[in-house]
Amino acid sequence: MTRNSYYITTPIYYPSDNLHIGHAYCTTVADSLARFHRTKGEDVFFLTGSDEHGLKIQRKAKEKGVTPIEYVDKIIANFKFLWKQLNISNNDFIRTSEERHHKVVQDTLQKIYDKGDIYKKNYEGLYCVPCESYWLERQLDENGCCPDCHRPVEKMQEESYFFKMSKYEEWWMSFIEENPDFIQPASRRNEMINFVKQGLEDLCITRTTFDWGVPVPFDSKHVVYVWFDALLNYLTGIKYGSDDAMFNKFWPASLHLVGKEIVRFHTIIWPIMLHAMGVEMPEKVYGHGWLVVDGDKMSKSKGNVIDPLALIDEFGADAIRYFLLREINLGSDGNFSRDALITRTNADLANDLGNLLHRTVSMIEKYHKGVVNDAGVSEAVDDELKTLAAATVENFIKDMDGMEINTAIKGVWAFISRANKYIDETAPWVLAKNPEKAARLETVMYNLAESLRIIAILVSPFIPSASPKIYTQLGLAVPEQFLLAEAKWGGLANGTKVAKGDPLYPRIEIAEDGSTIIGGKKYEPKVSAPAPAQEEPKFAMEPIKEEITFDVFEKMDLRVGKVIAAEKVKKSKKLLKLQVEIGPEVRTIVSGISQYYEPEAMIGKNVIVVANLAPAKLMGIESFGMLLAASDGQGNLVLADAPNMPSGARVK
Ligand code: MSP
């Protein structure tokens, strides 16, 4: 029996200060698959989230003088904001720091411990902090560094609990043999088999060297190893142990989509954990390739980290999504280039799709006062269009089911091109001049509008904001869910009245200095600068101002505000324009902090606002309030903040 539910997950992301386009890639792919399964009428649960524990986070928080949860809260707010901007339709966002997850981890550990699959021993090993992994001497790379990330390892000694992975080696081999589709693509399956053939070691699953993690229920000195903790998010997200109806509906997971470097954790450790727990296996783990920038791996020091928020601001979420999905072959590494993004957007979105809609709707308005009416005067070329429409839908389903996303997109665009060609072949402007061809013209217009209706459904997993716009211009009510069942020829009713709107995608023009002009707005290319060298600040204190009375001070109304949007003020080096939520209201505040804070880093940040300051105009923008910040007069500035306080709270 085929199931009508679909459960898809992305990896849960490490809270990183630098959100980059690579982060957006995996989530965009998962989103397109989730949306596709919804168009099939399936009940979809799409989970993403954050992997927040571990020594690395604990150290970073300490460096910044905040608690680990304060440190991660801000970053997670940025992640959530990015997913919203990118139109990601996740059903839940799981954070491993949440109570609901701690419970699942602790219950699981206890269960496996009670079964006798966990034991304690003294352990000395070489530990890679960024990867949170122990390595044996023989596993290190040629420089004696971590074989995964090639950074130095540290010698660590601790008493640890171990999970008896080795006990399940034979079970794993037979499971993989019996389920050839479990690991995909096939090349990654072979890699994993070769890895396990070298012998499975028991896995060290607890740590005592830090405490930012889930406490081990049977030994409170220990916290759970991050991977053991993190993988269980896939069960927590669908209420394992707390809501059987929900869990049984969505488990086993239909697909864990992960990057190629973490296939090993998902296809060896994870199935063995589940098997030890007596939980059914997920259906599939797919290891996608990596995104590189202009042929080079992204890194902060190279300054080639592409910020997805800036990119969305400039080109829109659809263009980014479309580029990632169309340009990259899911199983292989793919290249991101700004030039290629611009070329793709102009060619496929602005020209092919945008023009088809624009031409069609304009002609229906011009020739038929906007009303669609199939007069039934068909010619051979119509049959060709209709046959291709049906074949496109069929191939689309086959390709998407097979996770051939870019092939599916190519198929849809071949149909879009065919429809554009149909306009040239039928030459409606010639038909319009001949009264005897009036009925034929009506049929031609119907066929074009009907093609666009089907196209709107097919593109909805990839460029979700386009489909409602196409429907609206076609005069159709936007459904809550676009359904493939409705992508059958003839669904458009006669009498439908189209309504021309703005172009779907404005053309991107490129100025001589390399900046872009989109819809009349100019954008400088935004790539993050290489990490600057740190300099010792020299501080000279300013004299304290003359005394004021408490009454005077009390007139100042200071409030906690939460930044919900931020952008650089055009032509200003210093100013950021912020939207700040203060209790129920949202205000525009212009602040001279642009040299110190990137707009993206401001999102979700709590700030202190002088809330009753008279409005002032800065670079033509009215600013309603001011942010408090500490400055040493030597080029350093830090905003005052109030983490974990509700916006609107009074500061005294
Ligand atoms: N926290 C673990 C996953 C735990 S899942 C139980 C982790 N996090 S991560 O933030 O480092 O990576 C999350 C995902 O982002 C991975 O699938 C990784 O492959 C993906 N990407 C990060 N950078 C990437 C590119 N440049 N390109 C494509 N995806 C990459 O691993």
Side-chain angles (χ1 to χ4, degrees):
M1 199 185 81
T2 51
R3 62 193 262 204
N4 197 39
S5 61
Y6 185 81
Y7 178 31
I8 178 168
T9 67
T10 69
I12 47 173
Y13 294 82
Y14 291 131
S16 144
D17 291 318
N18 273 303
L19 279 174
H20 59 66
I21 190 82
H23 288 116
Y25 176 60
C26 184
T27 317
T28 301
V29 170
D31 186 67
S32 72
L33 292 167
R35 287 179 184 271
F36 162 66
H37 282 273
R38 292 193 192 107
T39 64
K40 289 209 309 182
E42 291 171 21
D43 199 345
V44 171
F45 197 82
F46 168 24
L47 183 70
T48 188
S50 51
D51 183 359
E52 303 181 8
H53 294 131
L55 182 55
K56 191 167 137 192
I57 297 291
Q58 185 164 318
R59 281 188 182 169
K60 281 230 173 114
K62 200 167 167 208
E63 268 167 32
K64 294 197 186 280
V66 293
T67 61
I69 194 72
E70 281 169 356
Y71 173 66
V72 293
D73 272 354
K74 287 186 189 169
I75 299 177
I76 301 316
N78 278 350
F79 268 94
K80 288 188 175 172
F81 183 73
L82 170 61
W83 300 151
K84 204 165 157 220
Q85 298 303 99
L86 200 55
N87 242 321
I88 300 298
S89 63
N90 52 307
N91 296 86
D92 200 352
F93 185 101
I94 171 111
R95 298 182 57 175
T96 53
S97 57
E98 288 169 328
E99 191 47 45
R100 57 172 173 159
H101 181 62
H102 282 215
K103 186 169 172 358
V104 169
V105 175
Q106 292 190 322
D107 289 353
T108 302
L109 212 69
Q110 188 70 51
K111 199 169 179 179
I112 303 181
Y113 183 67
D114 292 345
K115 202 180 158 203
D117 278 350
I118 290 176
Y119 62 93
K120 185 155 87 170
K121 84 168 185 196
N122 246 331
Y123 189 71
E124 193 183 289
L126 300 161
Y127 193 64
C128 173
V129 176
C131 296
E132 315 265 8
S133 294
Y134 270 112
W135 299 103
L136 300 169
E137 191 92 44
R138 67 172 161 84
Q139 293 173 315
L140 300 180
D141 70 6
E142 63 280 10
N143 300 316
C145 292
C146 169
D148 266 357
C149 73
H150 306 287
R151 280 177 278 204
V153 290
E154 295 176 27
K155 207 172 213 159
M156 292 239 215
Q157 192 187 19
E158 53 182 326
E159 180 190 271
S160 286
Y161 286 89
F162 280 75
F163 173 43
K164 288 186 187 166
M165 294 260 294
S166 55
K167 173 176 159 188
Y168 294 107
E169 194 177 312
E170 267 179 37
W171 168 81
W172 188 88
M173 278 294 183
S174 52
F175 166 70
I176 293 298
E177 256 166 45
E178 284 156 26
N179 296 277
D181 293 339
F182 176 69
I183 307 177
Q184 288 194 3
S187 55
R188 310 225 192 273
R189 177 172 181 266
N190 299 336
E191 255 175 61
M192 294 305 115
I193 293 174
N194 289 336
F195 185 88
V196 174
K197 271 189 185 155
Q198 290 168 23
L200 269 186
E201 312 255 352
D202 288 348
L203 181 70
C204 175
I205 55 162
T206 70
R207 302 284 188 264
T208 52
T209 43
F210 59 89
D211 59 9
W212 175 237
V214 183
V216 170
F218 42 84
D219 191 342
S220 59
K221 281 204 312 290
H222 291 250
V223 293
V224 179
Y225 165 56
V226 280
W227 272 99
F228 199 94
D229 158 359
L231 287 160
L232 286 165
N233 90 83
Y234 301 133
L235 299 187
T236 311
I238 48 165
K239 302 204 165 114
Y240 173 68
S242 63
D243 181 343
D244 288 349
M246 165 124 181
F247 183 74
N248 293 332
K249 179 169 180 189
F250 290 110
W251 194 261
S254 316
L255 175 67
H256 293 310
L257 183 71
V258 303
K260 62 180 180 181
E261 84 289 6
I262 57 173
V263 167
R264 186 155 49 91
F265 299 91
H266 284 83
T267 59
I268 302 174
I269 301 179
W270 182 226
I272 294 181
M273 280 170 66
L274 290 167
H275 184 61
M277 292 163 71
V279 174
E280 221 179 312
M281 291 304 118
E283 284 172 16
K284 198 183 290 178
V285 175
Y286 191 103
H288 66 73
W290 271 58
L291 197 63
V292 295
V293 173
D294 294 324
D296 211 355
K297 205 172 164 186
M298 260 175 280
S299 95
K300 205 175 171 184
S301 56
K302 284 183 202 149
N304 67 348
V305 174
I306 303 274
D307 171 0
L309 281 170
L311 219 53
I312 295 169
D313 178 47
E314 183 173 358
F315 298 106
D318 275 2
I320 317 300
R321 292 174 61 108
Y322 182 76
F323 176 83
L324 295 175
L325 297 169
R326 165 66 179 77
E327 205 83 357
I328 297 159
N329 193 350
L330 189 56
S332 324
D333 287 353
N335 192 37
F336 178 87
S337 107
R338 193 182 157 82
D339 290 349
L341 169 73
I342 293 171
T343 308
R344 252 301 150 226
T345 309
N346 277 342
D348 294 14
L349 299 183
N351 285 358
D352 294 349
L353 179 58
N355 280 349
L356 178 64
L357 179 68
H358 186 74
R359 290 165 91 189
T360 301
V361 173
S362 302
M363 288 190 293
I364 297 171
E365 288 197 336
K366 185 169 172 195
Y367 302 138
H368 301 133
K369 297 199 174 76
V371 180
V372 183
N373 184 31
D374 183 5
V377 184
S378 277
E379 289 182 7
V381 67
D382 299 8
D383 294 335
E384 214 184 288
L385 190 71
K386 289 180 205 174
T387 310
L388 186 64
T392 303
V393 175
E394 204 183 309
N395 289 332
F396 169 84
I397 296 172
K398 188 171 69 49
D399 292 334
M400 288 300 283
D401 274 334
M403 299 185 60
E404 304 275 354
I405 300 177
N406 57 351
T407 311
I409 295 181
K410 281 181 208 163
V412 177
W413 256 258
F415 181 57
I416 293 171
S417 297
R418 184 67 193 85
N420 272 317
K421 193 169 150 218
Y422 178 86
I423 299 182
D424 302 334
E425 287 166 345
T426 52
W429 47 92
V430 177
L431 299 176
K433 287 191 189 133
N434 183 351
E436 279 171 26
K437 293 286 182 185
R440 172 66 188 145
L441 182 61
E442 285 187 340
T443 296
V444 166
M445 288 300 122
Y446 178 91
N447 289 345
L448 285 169
E450 178 59 348
S451 298
L452 274 160
R453 189 187 65 83
I454 293 171
I455 289 164
I457 299 171
L458 297 181
V459 298
S460 67
F462 316 123
I463 44 174
S465 69
S467 308
K469 288 184 195 157
I470 299 173
Y471 257 50
T472 306
Q473 293 207 26
L474 290 177
L476 298 169
V478 176
E480 213 167 282
Q481 175 61 56
F482 288 92
L483 288 171
L484 281 165
E486 278 153 25
K488 286 197 188 89
W489 195 270
L492 187 70
N494 278 339
T496 307
K497 191 162 190 317
V498 304
K500 192 160 76 192
D502 290 335
L504 257 194
Y505 299 99
R507 241 194 105 71
I508 304 164
E509 309 292 345
I510 306 178
E512 266 179 19
D513 62 356
S515 48
T516 54
I517 300 158
I518 307 170
K521 264 173 94 179
K522 191 168 175 181
Y523 298 83
E524 308 289 337
K526 285 177 208 149
V527 174
S528 73
Q534 294 284 317
E535 262 183 43
E536 277 294 306
K538 296 176 223 86
F539 178 62
M541 188 178 132
E542 273 178 41
I544 290 175
K545 289 184 187 162
E546 64 178 283
E547 191 181 80
I548 54 165
T549 62
F550 186 70
D551 285 350
V552 174
F553 168 71
E554 231 206 347
K555 286 189 181 153
M556 186 154 68
D557 196 342
L558 299 177
R559 299 293 173 133
V560 174
K562 187 177 261 328
V563 178
I564 55 171
E567 60 177 295
K568 291 199 165 152
V569 172
K570 302 269 145 56
K571 296 198 188 123
S572 165
K573 280 195 184 134
K574 291 192 178 159
L575 299 180
L576 280 190
K577 181 180 163 198
L578 310 165
Q579 297 301 324
V580 182
E581 181 195 86
I582 304 175
E585 57 164 302
V586 175
R587 293 187 183 190
T588 299
I589 298 181
V590 180
S591 180
I593 54 171
S594 185
Q595 284 146 305
Y596 310 99
Y597 289 90
E598 284 299 318
E600 316 69 80
M602 291 299 297
I603 315 290
K605 200 171 171 61
N606 273 7
V607 288
I608 309 290
V609 182
V610 185
N612 60 340
L613 194 66
K617 257 198 180 162
L618 298 159
M619 298 280 286
I621 305 168
E622 191 138 48
S623 175
F624 298 87
M626 191 183 109
L627 306 192
L628 292 192
S631 155
D632 62 1
Q634 307 288 334
N636 295 304
L637 179 141
V638 175
L639 281 169
D641 70 351
N644 300 327
M645 288 304 288
S647 78
R650 187 178 279 283
V651 180
K652 298 192 269 200

